Amino acid sequence: MKITIASGKGGTGKTTISTNLSLYLAKTAEVVLADLDVEEPNSKLFVQGDLVFEKACNKMVPQWEREECILCGNCEEVCRFNAIIKVGDEILVFPELCHSCYACSELCTTNSLVMMPQKIGELKHFRSKNFDFIEGRLDIGEEQAVPLISQVIEYVDENFSQDTIKLFDAPPGTS
């Protein structure tokens, strides 16, 4: 079972409900709580556990390789997010605008845009008896929370059985 606690704005009690519900359910069932408010995760203030796993989370962004590039400008044309522009004999990449869609890299005929990992945050997994808690935390200054939220959800889906109750504390503004 998957349960998501969501609201259209912050300060409505999502974390209070999520933490209390997950701790209550953990009395009789296997439960995992995932804090998806990666910009300001605070469920950890209310739950305790031992750190069992942590990893850096990345998004993939293109890196321009000048040597092979023929400056055709195709990458600029296919980028829907304006993360790549051609200026004179340079290709400029703006990682903060990149949505890791791979269009520029896949459609580059000279393989001049190599996708490289860029750290955007971290994921931590805590455990206490039959209760697990997963926290995603976006690095300061990162503008896109969705790639990290997706990685937290993916981690929960890959590491917990269908018998585990999966509770998600959604970020504010989730509709």
Side-chain angles (χ1 to χ4, degrees):
M1 178 182 297
K2 291 182 180 181
I3 302 169
T4 301
I5 308 300
S7 173
K9 64 181 273 329
T12 59
K14 292 180 299 298
T15 298
T16 302
I17 291 172
S18 298
T19 54
N20 283 293
L21 181 58
S22 61
L23 291 171
Y24 177 76
L25 292 171
K27 291 178 182 181
T28 58
E30 294 287 324
V31 176
V32 59
L33 169 63
D35 192 340
L36 301 181
D37 184 2
V38 299
E39 293 178 273
E40 193 61 47
N42 55 15
S43 294
K44 185 73 173 93
L45 298 171
F46 304 102
V47 297
Q48 296 178 345
D50 298 319
L51 182 66
V52 294
F53 178 77
E54 68 180 309
K55 73 171 190 169
C57 294
N58 303 305
K59 74 174 186 176
M60 301 300 284
V61 296
Q63 178 178 321
W64 182 50
E65 303 290 335
R66 174 189 297 263
E67 295 78 33
E68 299 297 319
C69 185
I70 58 173
L71 299 168
C72 66
N74 189 43
C75 52
E76 179 180 31
E77 287 179 31
V78 300
C79 183
R80 295 185 356 205
F81 306 102
N82 300 313
I84 300 178
I85 61 170
K86 179 182 167 215
V87 179
D89 62 351
E90 297 278 324
I91 300 293
L92 303 178
V93 177
F94 299 98
E96 59 278 355
L97 298 177
C98 180
H99 283 62
S100 304
C101 71
Y102 283 76
C104 62
S105 179
E106 293 293 321
L107 297 173
C108 180
T109 59
T110 60
N111 297 317
S112 298
L113 290 165
V114 180
M115 297 301 280
M116 303 291 289
Q118 176 182 318
K119 184 176 179 288
I120 58 169
E122 59 186 18
L123 177 146
K124 290 186 178 182
H125 179 170
F126 300 90
R127 180 172 295 135
S128 174
K129 295 181 186 173
N130 61 334
F131 176 74
D132 287 270
F133 171 63
I134 315 300
E135 174 186 84
R137 185 174 295 271
L138 196 64
D139 286 347
I140 294 172
E142 285 296 325
E143 297 177 6
Q144 294 180 27
V146 174
L148 181 54
I149 292 169
S150 297
Q151 289 176 53
V152 172
I153 294 169
E154 184 178 301
Y155 179 83
V156 169
D157 287 343
E158 290 176 356
N159 290 280
F160 295 93
S161 73
Q162 291 185 353
D163 298 332
T164 304
I165 297 172
K166 299 170 184 168
L167 240 150
F168 297 98
D169 183 5
T174 302
S175 57

